[in-house]
């Protein structure tokens, strides 16, 4: 099958990490016989330089015509003094809303070779963890009614969710659990919040449609504690916008470097056999301090490509091949500078962005999956 992918290289280290990830995508195409057409799109600071706006109309129209979009990072000091509607980061919000993505998927995986990067003790981490946080992205308290009283002495924000919003994010969680270890934990504050009780009510109905997935529920304060007490207990966590915002940052800290972590934002499932639109990006920013030096870690972007293969194209074997290739390269001792800081052993070999991309691509080509 042919897939059309929008490529937003963006600013700072964006073009470098995306370049490395595209080499890996090419290796996937060659190894598994797929064609990936690439549509280069301008967004962020480079788009401001070229056209005066962070997200040109043309970018939006062409992105919508793609099957999925891969984004490096946008922003940098050059554009920091512009008024807020002209800031590069506007491009991210604009793209999310134009592509109608409402589910943010953030994995937190501790890879064995990077054990040293995890701040938790050995007895807590055990054999490692592999968590996927599914966060609702377009509703809840960040988008609910907010304001101040007339006298300015009080302010309010509103947590507001419709059954439809809850149902669709839960379905994303259950479908993801089916591609993983078949466990889903709904995280809320149902002992206090009426909106959380609605989440539980909707979940009772939806979970019946997924009898193969084991469901549980946990209060958010307990979950924040359990993530550092026994992270291995979680598979998929589904939660609201604000709880997901906080928990995904907590979970990402458990895995070490910011350069390692991918993310996906996905929308309505495509028709049977058709791709699901998604926006895939590493969680880091444009890192202006290291841009242009060929030292940025491209693994977060490469793992974002693996998420694209799995969640937009349903190419699970191919996604696994990329993830295993990353693990093998790390096991062999290859590191970019950011992940070599934790423990330099005699087998550690430090490489740049391009070389790391080439090593992973080579492993994908050798894959026997
Ligand atoms: P940042 O993530 O760019 O950098 C934070 C620190 O992590 C820096 O020291 C950087 O060198 C390091 N780092 C980040 N990615 C790395 C990688 N792949 N390999 C090695 N080291 C890495 O965050 P920041 O400094 O707060 O923001 C810089 C710019 O990026 C700002 O303009 C900000 O608005 C923008 N930003 C963009 C996005 C996005 O495009 N999604 C996200 C966050 C920040």
């Amino acid at each position: 099958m042919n897939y059309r992918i929008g490529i937003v290289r963006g600013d700072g280290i964006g073009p470098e990490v995306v370049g490395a990830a595209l080499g890996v995508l090419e290796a996937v195409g060659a190894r598994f016989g797929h064609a990936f057409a690439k549509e280069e799109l301008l967004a962020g600071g480079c788009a401001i330089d070229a056209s005066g706006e962070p997200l040109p109309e043309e970018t939006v129209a062409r992105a919508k015509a793609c099957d999925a979009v891969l984004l490096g990072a946008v922003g940098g000091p050059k554009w920091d003094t512009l008024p807020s509607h002209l800031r590069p980061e506007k491009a991210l919000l604009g793209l999310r809303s134009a592509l109608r993505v409402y589910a943010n998927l953030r994995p937190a995986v501790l890879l064995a070779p990077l054990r040293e990067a995890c701040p938790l003790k050995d007895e807590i981490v055990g054999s490692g963890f592999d968590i996927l946080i599914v966060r609702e992205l377009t509703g809840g308290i960040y988008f609910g009614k907010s304001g101040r009283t007339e006298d300015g002495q009080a302010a309010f924000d509103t947590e507001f969710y419709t059954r439809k919003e809850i149902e669709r994010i839960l379905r994303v969680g259950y479908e993801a659990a089916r591609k993983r270890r078949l466990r889903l934990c709904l995280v809320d504050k149902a002992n206090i919040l009426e909106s959380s009780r609605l989440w539980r009510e909707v979940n009772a109905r939806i979970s019946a449609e997924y009898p193969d997935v084991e469901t549980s529920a946990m209060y958010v304060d307990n979950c924040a504690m359990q993530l550092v007490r026994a992270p291995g207990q979680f598979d998929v966590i589904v939660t609201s916008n604000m709880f997901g915002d906080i928990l995904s940052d907590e979970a990402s800290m458990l895995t070490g470097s910011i350069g390692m972590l991918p993310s996906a934002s996905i929308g309505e499932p495509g028709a049977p056999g058709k791709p699901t639109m998604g926006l895939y990006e590493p969680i880091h920013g444009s890192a202006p301090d290291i841009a242009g030096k060929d030292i940025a870690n491209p693994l977060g972007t490469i793992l974002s490509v693996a998420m694209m293969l799995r969640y937009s194209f349903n190419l699970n074997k191919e996604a696994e091949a990329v993830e295993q290739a990353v693990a093998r390269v790390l096991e062999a001792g290859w590191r970019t500078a950011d992940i070599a800081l934790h423990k330099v052993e005699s087998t550690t070999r430090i490489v740049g962005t391009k070389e790391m991309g080439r090593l992973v691509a080579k492993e994908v080509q050798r894959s026997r999956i």
Side-chain angles (χ1 to χ4, degrees), residues 281-303:
E281 50 185 320
I283 71 159
H284 61 72
S286 60
D289 52 333
I290 58 167
K293 298 181 179 163
D294 190 38
I295 56 172
N297 185 346
L299 294 178
T301 315
I302 290 171
L303 291 168

Side-chain angles (χ1 to χ4, degrees), residues 113-114 299 325-337 339-340 343-351 356 359 363:
L114 297 184
L299 294 178
V326 168
R328 276 199 299 274
V329 166
L330 292 171
E331 272 156 25
W334 300 106
R335 300 281 188 276
T336 43
I339 48 175
K343 191 176 185 182
V344 180
E345 294 176 351
S346 55
T347 50
T348 303
R349 288 166 288 185
I350 298 181
V351 291
M356 185 54 105
L359 287 164
E363 283 296 334

Side-chain angles (χ1 to χ4, degrees), residues 230-352:
Q233 70 185 285
F234 295 107
D235 178 14
V236 175
I237 290 175
V238 179
T239 192
S240 63
N241 201 341
M242 181 167 67
F243 294 162
D245 189 6
I246 298 164
L247 293 176
S248 59
D249 265 27
E250 182 190 1
S252 69
M253 244 323 279
L254 304 180
T255 66
S257 169
I258 190 171
M260 290 294 303
L261 292 168
S263 81
S265 301
I266 61 175
E268 283 306 322
K274 297 276 183 219
T276 291
M277 175 54 90
L279 176 64
Y280 297 84
E281 50 185 320
I283 71 159
H284 61 72
S286 60
D289 52 333
I290 58 167
K293 298 181 179 163
D294 190 38
I295 56 172
N297 185 346
L299 294 178
T301 315
I302 290 171
L303 291 168
S304 300
V305 164
M307 291 190 84
M308 175 189 291
L309 295 168
R310 179 173 288 121
Y311 294 108
S312 271
F313 305 152
N314 211 18
L315 297 175
N316 296 311
K317 217 167 28 138
E318 291 79 348
E320 231 173 273
V322 173
E323 286 160 355
Q324 286 185 9
V326 168
R328 276 199 299 274
V329 166
L330 292 171
E331 272 156 25
W334 300 106
R335 300 281 188 276
T336 43
D338 57 315
I339 48 175
L341 290 177
H342 303 290
K343 191 176 185 182
V344 180
E345 294 176 351
S346 55
T347 50
T348 303
R349 288 166 288 185
I350 298 181
V351 291

